[in-house]
């Protein structure tokens, strides 16, 4: 029996809705990005994000149903991101999902945003099955996760301070490149020398897979500050490439070590930073030396979307993991 899940995502600055059949077949995937609205502030402004979600969410859901050529009554369940994220933004999605589920008498499925990012790999790689290790790197998170089965996850490493995407965004700001910084650094780095400047690759402890990106961020800022004080010029592309190389080296080293530790032959990437071309290339090259393959979602499924939430919702549906009308948004929801 085919199962249709309506997914809803509003944890940050994308209002998204999608209809997915049997977890992996995307019938529609609508994303309304607010990035232009937040650009002038150099980052996401929570109140503006919540307000915009309220304005657009009904139209985004209607379009998702329309594109999928289904009505609400055809849907088997409504899956929604309930954390982690900006609490006001999350509440818009959660309240809307509750209202729809209640009115249409459908089960309501609570989804963890990071689990959703991981599930994006099942949509792009229809033959992918657990177990594998997944690096989730986005603007808000940097986690190495052991995916034991479709609903059982264990964190093997996480950032102690900044997320990888956050570091990309901050360095792009000091280089005056714009927002969001990740894609801009990725592009500029192609013209630079990644070995021009050696920025630190932080290792907290020999056996610890946790990340720390605040050191490399400070090192880049100090480097630029010193040159500015001495009125010396610098090559922006070299700085971008050298910074990116430092972050990517650490992401690769820790993730491959995790994969070796749990003895898996598959690494998956997820989250906005999984779109980074150097990360994809380096991880693939380095992992191959250990006989490990590297997979990543198509670019549209790397950044925030609701197809990944509907995919996670399908597997939660099979387990009967439903929420009632007391479901609330949880800003710092743990994995
Ligand atoms: O997953 P996402 O859309 O939202 C969060 O859940 O945070 O990730 C957004 C983050 C931003 O920090 C953005 O700069 C980064 O992903 N990003 C990239 C690239 N594309 C997006 N970072 C590095 N290279 C990229 N190509
Ligand atoms: Zn995300």
């Amino acid at each position: 029996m085919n199962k249709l899940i309506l997914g809803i995502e509003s944890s940050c600055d994308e209002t998204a809705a999608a209809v997915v059949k049997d977890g992996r077949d995307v019938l529609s995937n609508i994303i309304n990005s607010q990035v232009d609205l937040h650009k002038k502030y150099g980052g996401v402004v929570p109140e503006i994000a919540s307000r915009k979600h309220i304005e657009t969410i009904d139209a985004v859901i209607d379009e998702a149903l329309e594109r999928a050529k289904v009505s609400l009554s055809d849907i088997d369940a409504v899956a929604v991101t309930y954390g982690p994220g900006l609490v006001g933004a999350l509440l818009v999605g959660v309240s809307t999902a509750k209202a729809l589920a209640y009115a249409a008498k459908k089960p309501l499925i609570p989804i963890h945003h990071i689990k959703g990012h991981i599930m994006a790999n099942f949509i792009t790689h229809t033959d992918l099955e657990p177990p594998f290790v997944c690096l989730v790197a986005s603007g808000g998170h940097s986690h190495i996760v052991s995916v034991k089965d479709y609903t059982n996850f264990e964190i093997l490493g996480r950032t102690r301070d900044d997320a990888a995407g956050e570091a990309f965004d901050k360095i792009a700001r000091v280089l005056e490149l714009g927002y969001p910084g990740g894609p801009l650094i990725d592009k500029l780095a192609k013209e630079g020398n990644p070995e021009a400047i050696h920025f630190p690759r932080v290792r907290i402890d020999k056996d610890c897979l946790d990340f720390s990106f605040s050191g490399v961020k400070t090192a880049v800022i100090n480097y630029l500050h010193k040159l500015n004080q001495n009125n010396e010029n610098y090559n922006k592309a070299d700085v971008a490439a050298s910074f990116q190389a430092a972050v990517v080296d650490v992401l690769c080293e820790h993730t491959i070590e995790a994969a070796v530790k749990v003895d898996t032959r598959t690494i998956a990437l997820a989250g906005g930073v999984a779109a980074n071309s150097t990360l994809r290339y380096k991880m693939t090259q380095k992992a191959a030396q250990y006989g490990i393959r590297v997979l990543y979602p198509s670019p549209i499924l790397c950044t925030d979307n609701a197809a990944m939430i509907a995919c996670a919702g399908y597997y939660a549906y099979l387990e009967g993991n439903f929420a009632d009308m007391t479901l609330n948004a949880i800003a710092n929801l743990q994995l």
Side-chain angles (χ1 to χ4, degrees):
M1 249 304 256
N2 289 338
K3 292 291 171 208
L4 291 179
I5 309 291
L6 170 66
I8 298 175
E9 157 65 42
S10 70
S11 65
C12 191
D13 61 343
E14 265 92 27
T15 320
V19 177
V20 175
K21 188 167 86 180
D22 294 338
R24 303 197 187 215
D25 187 2
V26 179
L27 304 188
S28 65
N29 187 23
I30 310 301
I31 304 169
N32 183 70
S33 175
Q34 306 175 0
V35 71
D36 288 339
L37 213 57
H38 300 284
K39 227 174 212 164
K40 60 175 175 283
Y41 305 103
V44 178
V45 182
E47 285 77 9
I48 295 177
S50 316
R51 206 163 297 174
K52 195 69 190 168
H53 284 309
I54 293 174
E55 279 171 31
T56 54
I57 197 158
D58 288 346
V60 167
I61 292 169
D62 284 349
E63 196 177 340
L65 293 169
E66 206 170 292
R67 290 266 181 101
K69 297 189 173 63
V70 297
S71 67
L72 196 55
S73 58
D74 301 320
I75 296 289
D76 291 285
V78 182
V80 64
T81 305
Y82 74 115
L86 303 169
V87 74
L90 286 163
L91 270 172
V92 178
V94 169
S95 310
T96 307
K98 279 161 74 171
L100 289 177
Y102 184 75
K105 298 189 175 58
K106 305 289 179 185
L108 176 68
I109 302 175
I111 299 297
H112 189 291
H113 182 73
I114 297 178
K115 288 185 185 171
H117 271 301
I118 295 169
M119 305 305 274
N121 281 284
F122 292 123
I123 299 174
T124 301
H125 307 284
T126 46
D127 60 336
L128 175 63
E129 283 177 21
F132 56 90
V133 159
C134 187
L135 169 69
V136 191
S138 71
H141 332 278
S142 295
H143 286 64
I144 300 173
V145 181
S146 171
V147 182
K148 296 179 175 182
D149 64 42
Y150 290 101
T151 54
N152 186 3
F153 304 76
E154 184 192 351
I155 297 174
L156 302 176
R158 56 150 61 96
T159 184
R160 299 274 182 102
D161 40 56
D162 293 355
E166 199 178 348
F168 270 94
D169 292 337
K170 281 184 183 159
I171 296 308
R173 198 186 307 176
V174 295
L175 289 175
E176 295 171 342
L177 298 179
Y179 172 85
L184 300 166
I185 289 192
D186 192 354
K187 190 164 169 243
L188 182 63
K190 292 192 198 318
E191 296 159 28
N193 173 9
E195 289 169 13
I197 312 140
H198 184 83
F199 292 124
R201 275 88 169 141
V202 173
R203 181 91 205 199
I204 289 165
D205 186 51
K206 189 167 66 67
D207 297 318
C208 179
L209 295 173
D210 284 353
F211 301 113
S212 169
F213 295 113
S214 66
V216 63
K217 189 189 71 187
T218 310
V220 176
I221 292 169
N222 287 346
Y223 173 84
L224 296 174
H225 191 61
K226 216 184 245 170
L227 293 178
N228 280 334
Q229 272 185 334
N230 298 336
N231 271 331
E232 286 179 54
N233 287 329
Y234 57 86
N235 182 324
K236 270 192 192 183
D238 282 351
V239 176
S242 301
F243 158 75
Q244 180 175 268
V247 173
V248 165
D249 275 358
V250 174
L251 291 174
C252 291
E253 188 184 308
H254 291 208
T255 308
I256 292 168
E257 217 172 292
V260 170
K261 197 168 151 188
V262 302
D263 197 22
T264 179
R265 300 269 149 221
T266 304
I267 287 174
L269 308 180
V273 182
N276 185 270
S277 56
T278 301
L279 175 65
R280 289 175 171 210
Y281 177 76
K282 282 270 183 74
M283 191 76 86
T284 305
Q285 296 290 312
K286 290 184 180 187
Q289 294 166 15
Y290 297 83
I292 298 170
R293 67 172 177 159
V294 175
L295 306 175
Y296 32 80
S298 57
I300 193 71
L301 294 173
C302 284
T303 48
D304 289 348
N305 66 87
M308 67 186 196
I309 303 304
C311 174
Y314 171 74
Y315 291 102
Y317 181 93
L318 297 183
E319 295 208 338
N321 183 10
F322 304 133
D324 61 24
M325 287 298 134
T326 62
L327 180 69
N328 205 349
I330 304 176
N332 61 352
L333 183 66
Q334 300 302 307
L335 196 69

